[in-house]
Amino acid sequence: MTTRQSPSHPAPLDAGTRAARAAGNAGEPTVEFAEATPYEQYVGVRQLQALVRPVTEHPAEPAFLVVTQVMELWFTLLRREWELGQRQLRADDLDAAIGSIRRSVHHLRSLDATWGSLLWLTPAEFNGFRDQLGEASGFQSYEYRHVEFLLGLKAESVVRPHRGLPVVHADLQRALAAPSLEDDVLAYLARRGLPVPATVLERDRTVTHEPDPAVTALWAEVYTDPRPGNELFTLGEALTDVAEVFTTWRQRHVTAVRRAMGAKPGSGGSAGLAWLKRSAARVVFPDLWAARTVV
Ligand code: HEM
C-alpha cells in the first residue's frame, strides 16, 4: 500500500525498488522528476535560502549571518542529543546514553570549528554592518540558553528577554526548572546505589550547579579505575569532553569578539568583552573537574 506523502516529505523507497531503479538507470543517477526533487522536499533548500536575509549590502554580512544561523542549528542538534540522552538515562539505558553524549561531542567540535569562517572579520568590516543589527545580540539566543540549561548553567535572568514570545518563554521557563543532563546522570548513579546526597538529588534546579564534596568524591572513586570496561568512567570522560569542547566554543567566542570589536560595548547592552569573559568562566560539570584534584 502506498501512503500519500506531504509535499515536504520525499516518498519512501524500499531496497528492492531502489535496486530495480539503479538497474533501470544502467547505474546512473535518476534525472527525471515530475516535481521538486526528493532532495529538495527533504532538505528544503529554498526555505533555508529564504532565511539568509542580510540587512545591509556589506559583503562581510552574509558570512556573519550564515555562521550565526549554522551555529543555531548546532545548538538545536545538541539539545536534541542531550534530551535524548536524558530519556535514555531515565530508562536506565546507559550504553545508549553514552552513545548520544559521544555523538554530541562530534557536533560540538563541528560547532567550534565554525568559528573558522569568521576569523577574517576585521573591526572596520564589522562596523560596516554592525549598527544595522540594532540591539540584536547572541545574548538573545534562546536555543543557546537551552544548551546552557542542559549543561547546568542556569539563570532566570536569561529567560526574561523572551517574554514577548510566549511559546519560547514558556519552553525556556520549563527548561530552567527541569533537570539538567548532569541531574539525570546523578539520579541514574543514585539508582545504581552510588552515594549521591539527597540534597543534590533535590537541589534547586533553577540555579547554576555548584560543586558538591560528596559528588566530587564519587567521581574520584569512579576515576580510580580508568579502564574502557568501566562504563561509569566512560560516561565521566564523555561528559568531560562535552564540558571541554563547549568551554572552547565560549573561549573562541571571546577571542572572536576581541578581534572584531575590541572592548566596545555589546549590541545586547552589556559591557562586551569584560562581561563575556566572566560569563565564559562559569564551569560546566564542576564535580568532574574537581574530582581530578582528588584522584
Ligand atoms: C565576531 C562576531 C561576534 C561578536 C563581535 C559578538 C559579540 C558579542 C557580545 C559583545 C556579546 C555580549 C552581549 C552583548 O551583546 O552585549 C555576545 C554574546 C553572545 N553571543 Fe556573540 N558575537 C559574535 C558572534 C556570535 C555568533 C556567531 C554567535 C552564534 C550564535 C554568538 C552567540 C552569542 C551568545 C550565545 C552570546 C551570549 C553568551 C553568554 O551569555 O555567555 N555570537 N556576543
Side-chain angles (χ1 to χ4, degrees), residues 127-145:
N127 284 344
F129 61 90
R130 186 173 186 229
D131 286 351
Q132 297 307 311
L133 306 181
E135 286 188 284
S137 163
F139 178 81
Q140 298 145 14
S141 164
Y142 50 79
E143 211 58 7
Y144 178 78
R145 296 308 169 199

Side-chain angles (χ1 to χ4, degrees), residues 64 68 71 126 137-139 144-145 253 257 266-270 275 279:
F64 178 80
T68 305
M71 286 192 182
F126 192 35
S137 163
F139 178 81
Y144 178 78
R145 296 308 169 199
H253 179 233
V257 171
S267 50
S270 82
W275 181 86
S279 182

Side-chain angles (χ1 to χ4, degrees), residues 94 188-189 192 194 219 222 230-237:
L94 181 62
Y188 170 81
L189 296 181
R192 279 193 48 162
L194 277 80
W219 279 119
V222 167
N230 178 358
E231 52 185 4
L232 295 186
F233 167 73
T234 305
L235 171 66
E237 282 297 89

Side-chain angles (χ1 to χ4, degrees), residues 9-252:
H9 289 80
L13 200 63
D14 61 58
T17 315
R18 189 174 296 137
R21 198 153 295 178
N25 286 349
E28 295 297 318
T30 305
V31 291
E32 300 295 341
F33 298 101
E35 45 190 25
T37 62
Y39 177 84
E40 172 64 10
Q41 291 178 35
Y42 182 53
V43 180
V45 179
R46 281 172 307 169
Q47 281 107 315
L48 285 175
Q49 287 170 339
L51 294 172
V52 183
R53 298 172 311 221
V55 293
T56 70
E57 295 294 318
H58 196 285
E61 196 202 335
F64 178 80
L65 175 58
V66 168
V67 165
T68 305
Q69 291 174 320
V70 165
M71 286 192 182
E72 282 290 336
L73 289 175
W74 287 123
F75 297 156
T76 295
L77 190 56
L78 289 170
R79 183 181 168 192
R80 282 176 180 252
E81 297 288 19
W82 295 337
E83 287 174 348
L84 174 62
Q86 287 181 305
R87 291 196 295 277
Q88 290 161 333
L89 285 165
R90 286 171 203 172
D92 291 330
D93 190 348
L94 181 62
D95 285 347
I98 290 175
S100 302
I101 296 167
R102 280 185 156 167
R103 220 168 29 237
S104 80
V105 175
H106 291 280
H107 308 327
L108 274 165
R109 294 209 169 102
S110 299
L111 165 70
D112 192 20
T114 312
W115 282 123
S117 280
L118 269 191
L119 291 186
W120 49 268
L121 184 66
T122 64
E125 283 167 325
F126 192 35
N127 284 344
F129 61 90
R130 186 173 186 229
D131 286 351
Q132 297 307 311
L133 306 181
E135 286 188 284
S137 163
F139 178 81
Q140 298 145 14
S141 164
Y142 50 79
E143 211 58 7
Y144 178 78
R145 296 308 169 199
H146 277 287
V147 164
E148 280 195 332
F149 289 178
L150 282 162
L151 296 179
L153 300 173
K154 302 268 187 106
E156 200 277 326
S157 57
V158 298
V159 177
R160 237 176 290 155
H162 306 287
R163 275 182 298 194
L165 205 51
V167 177
V168 164
H169 186 250
D171 198 25
L172 261 185
Q173 260 189 326
R174 181 204 50 75
L176 179 71
S180 69
L181 182 57
E182 191 194 7
D183 287 325
D184 275 300
V185 166
L186 293 176
Y188 170 81
L189 296 181
R191 287 197 297 281
R192 279 193 48 162
L194 277 80
V196 184
T199 47
V200 171
L201 292 172
E202 290 153 18
R203 67 183 163 193
D204 178 359
R205 290 182 168 146
T206 64
V207 296
T208 290
H209 296 177
E210 297 295 336
D212 177 276
V215 178
T216 300
L218 174 161
W219 279 119
E221 178 64 26
V222 167
Y223 269 74
T224 55
D225 181 13
R227 284 177 298 175
N230 178 358
E231 52 185 4
L232 295 186
F233 167 73
T234 305
L235 171 66
E237 282 297 89
L239 292 169
T240 305
D241 284 340
V242 166
E244 176 170 334
V245 188
F246 180 70
T247 302
T248 306
W249 183 88
R250 293 190 297 170
Q251 288 164 346
R252 290 191 73 178

